[in-house]
Amino acid sequence: MKRRSFLKALLAFLGATSVASFVYPLSRYYLAPPTSTENSRTLIIAKRDIPLGDAREIVFNGVPAVIMNRPGKGLIALSRVCTHLGCLVQYDKENKRLLCPCHAGVYDLEGNIVSGPPPKPLPKLPLRVEGETIVIG
Amino acid sequence: MWERVKNWVETRIGLDDLVRSQVTEYRVPKNINIFYTLGFVAAAGYLIQVLSGIMLLIYYVPHPDHAFKSVQLIMHKVPFGWLFRQMHVVGSNLMIAAIGLHMLTVFAMGNYKRPRELTWIGGALLLLVTIAFGFSGYLLPWTQLSYWATTVVTSIPTAVPVVGDFVAGILRGGDQVTGATLSRFFAFHVSILPPLFMILVGIHIFLIKRIGISATPFGLQAEEKRPWTEYHKKSHADGYPYYPRFFQMDMLMVMVYLAVMFALITFTPNLFFPEEATIPANAFKTPVNVRPEWYLLAPYQMLKIIPNKFLGIIIQLALFLVFLLWPFFDTEKEKNIMKRPLLRGLFLFSFILWLILMFWGRS
């Protein structure tokens, strides 16, 4: 290798290393530090607070969610965060649907997509009934 | 005294020569029309944004607990605070309209063609930066509308596999829109975008000066029609001087811009403030009527009607790239759109489609 080529390659290597050494901390800086959330706690709600056919909005581990008492199908807890672009779905008691007000995504009460642009069903939250209480988590 | 100051400056920087070469003896094409003033109008619009933005900075507090209250303070308590905020909000919309109209007329006159491809790309990037200004400023009042519009737009990158969540995380500073998002949008709005905008304006003006103003394609000289294979500057030696003739046209259009701005502020003060823009942000309730500003209604409606998240976003990205790189797609030498029925049809079709999507998105 000629001296000129070697020096060019060396300069390119040193330049790339210098740039990379700034890009890495810069990209890490832009990612905000992780916020500490308690992901293990449970949420307890009285069963009588959600009459048959009604729903109650809750926040579980920082995620907005909804618990619905479906006639003939029992209780279910779903995330309210639309899988399309993150708006919060709303419970439509009359039509037994969950509607996203932003881009008209429609889900059934199981969280499955009925229509609109959402790519995935709504995530289910773990729910169990212990006597007269509902336990989420 | 004034003469002595003038002479002192003249001796040092040769101001007379600068004014002569850049203003009074700077020639513009004879067949120039009123649409050529839109770039100047957009620059004047930017100046208004900077000045009104600085006024707002005096009272605005970029914190989730105070942002909404500080904006309410500006609107209702600070003397003439409402005026500067209205000028800033209405001005942001008008500036986008001015740049959009500028690009539309440049397109219709074929002035993006060789050798002005880079000028077109610079203009398209300026439009993008102006929209980024509008979008980043939208969150700052921390209202229901701004919060949920930001949630939607910062979720768009999540459609891209592998890196989407990472990019959304960088935009928001976390998984959701929070105070961290407000801080970085504020920094973006007041300290990152302004220098970026000025750099692009500098490049844009440099290219216009270096290449020369393009003549309209209507009544074009044969010399203009020849293909450009090497650099040469279009100087319009037989044209009109920029000052006073074209400068008067520029100033007239700036007055029209200001007249429209103050007419909107006076007669439709709530035009850009729907009900959701007067309610503080609530992370647990998406309002029913959340809609973006008029210039994003068409992409918003497209996202709604395309039943696939990835496809909806990729189509929009592809359309923007076609718009940005249009001079490389259209390689026909003919500049006059009236002599190109196919291009004219495409132009009208795209424009009408955009209008339909916009009004559909609003309904």
Side-chain angles (χ1 to χ4, degrees), chain A residues 27 29-32 57 59 62 64 80 83-88 90 101-104 116-117 119, chain B residues 148 151-152 155-156 166 169-170 173 176 184 283-288 290 300 303-304 306-307 309:
Chain A
S27 62
Y29 182 84
Y30 277 113
L31 274 178
E57 289 173 2
V59 179
R80 289 176 61 217
T83 56
H84 182 221
L85 293 171
C87 292
L88 300 184
Q90 281 158 15
C102 289
H103 299 95
Chain B
W148 289 104
T151 298
V152 168
S155 298
I156 286 176
F166 176 78
I170 284 185
Q176 287 146 10
R184 58 188 55 204
F284 301 115
K285 184 165 176 54
T286 307
V288 178
V290 62
Y300 159 80
L303 281 180
K304 237 171 149 175
I306 297 171
K309 181 179 176 180

Side-chain angles (χ1 to χ4, degrees), chain B residues 47-58 84 88 190:
Chain B
L47 184 68
I48 293 167
Q49 291 309 103
V50 170
L51 295 176
S52 56
I54 291 170
M55 300 300 279
L56 295 177
L57 272 179
I58 293 168
F84 295 114
H88 202 69
V190 303

Side-chain angles (χ1 to χ4, degrees), chain B residues 58-78:
Chain B
I58 293 168
Y59 290 99
Y60 175 73
V61 185
H63 186 282
D65 295 342
H66 306 288
F68 183 78
K69 283 181 194 157
S70 66
V71 173
Q72 294 305 303
L73 182 83
I74 291 169
M75 289 297 275
H76 303 297
K77 293 272 169 66
V78 176

Side-chain angles (χ1 to χ4, degrees), chain B residues 2 12 99 153 343:
Chain B
W2 170 240
R12 278 151 188 87
I99 297 179
V153 177
L343 183 70

Side-chain angles (χ1 to χ4, degrees), chain B residues 45-271:
Chain B
Y46 181 70
L47 184 68
I48 293 167
Q49 291 309 103
V50 170
L51 295 176
S52 56
I54 291 170
M55 300 300 279
L56 295 177
L57 272 179
I58 293 168
Y59 290 99
Y60 175 73
V61 185
H63 186 282
D65 295 342
H66 306 288
F68 183 78
K69 283 181 194 157
S70 66
V71 173
Q72 294 305 303
L73 182 83
I74 291 169
M75 289 297 275
H76 303 297
K77 293 272 169 66
V78 176
F80 294 102
W82 61 270
L83 177 66
F84 295 114
R85 173 136 195 262
Q86 284 274 16
M87 283 175 73
H88 202 69
V89 172
V90 175
S92 69
N93 286 276
L94 284 183
M95 203 181 140
I96 289 171
I99 297 179
L101 202 59
H102 182 39
M103 298 212 71
L104 214 63
T105 54
V106 167
F107 185 92
M109 290 190 278
N111 288 340
Y112 53 85
K113 286 183 174 290
R114 196 162 63 165
R116 296 185 177 82
E117 299 95 326
L118 290 174
T119 320
W120 169 269
I121 291 172
L125 290 176
L126 273 168
L127 178 63
L128 188 68
V129 171
T130 309
I131 291 173
F133 262 120
F135 170 63
S136 56
Y138 212 57
L139 179 67
L140 304 188
W142 203 246
T143 63
Q144 271 291 69
L145 186 66
S146 58
Y147 182 91
W148 289 104
T150 308
T151 298
V152 168
V153 177
T154 54
S155 298
I156 286 176
T158 60
V160 182
V162 189
V163 293
D165 287 332
F166 176 78
V167 175
I170 284 185
L171 281 173
R172 291 175 183 159
D175 294 336
Q176 287 146 10
V177 174
T178 59
T181 323
L182 182 64
S183 298
R184 58 188 55 204
F185 271 47
F186 178 69
F188 197 58
H189 191 73
V190 303
S191 68
I192 296 172
L193 289 176
L196 188 63
F197 188 87
M198 291 315 293
I199 291 168
L200 285 171
V201 166
I203 294 171
H204 200 64
I205 292 173
F206 165 78
L207 289 169
I208 293 166
K209 286 272 180 191
R210 187 78 184 144
I211 303 167
I213 296 180
S214 56
T216 68
F218 316 113
L220 208 65
Q221 305 132 350
E223 185 260 334
E224 270 273 322
K225 281 185 179 167
R226 280 205 302 273
W228 293 55
T229 49
E230 59 184 38
Y231 170 74
H232 68 270
K233 188 177 175 175
K234 189 88 187 106
S235 57
H236 306 288
D238 59 338
Y240 295 120
Y242 172 75
Y243 183 89
R245 195 186 171 92
F246 193 64
F247 180 72
Q248 284 174 339
M249 279 164 86
D250 272 345
M251 293 318 287
L252 171 76
M253 288 302 279
V254 171
M255 292 302 138
V256 170
Y257 182 88
L258 287 171
V260 171
M261 173 187 275
F262 287 110
L264 289 176
I265 292 172
T266 309
F267 299 113
T268 57
N270 294 324
L271 183 65

Side-chain angles (χ1 to χ4, degrees), chain A residues 60-74:
Chain A
F60 179 69
N61 287 338
V63 178
V66 60
I67 307 172
M68 292 168 288
N69 193 351
R70 303 162 300 170
K73 286 185 175 174

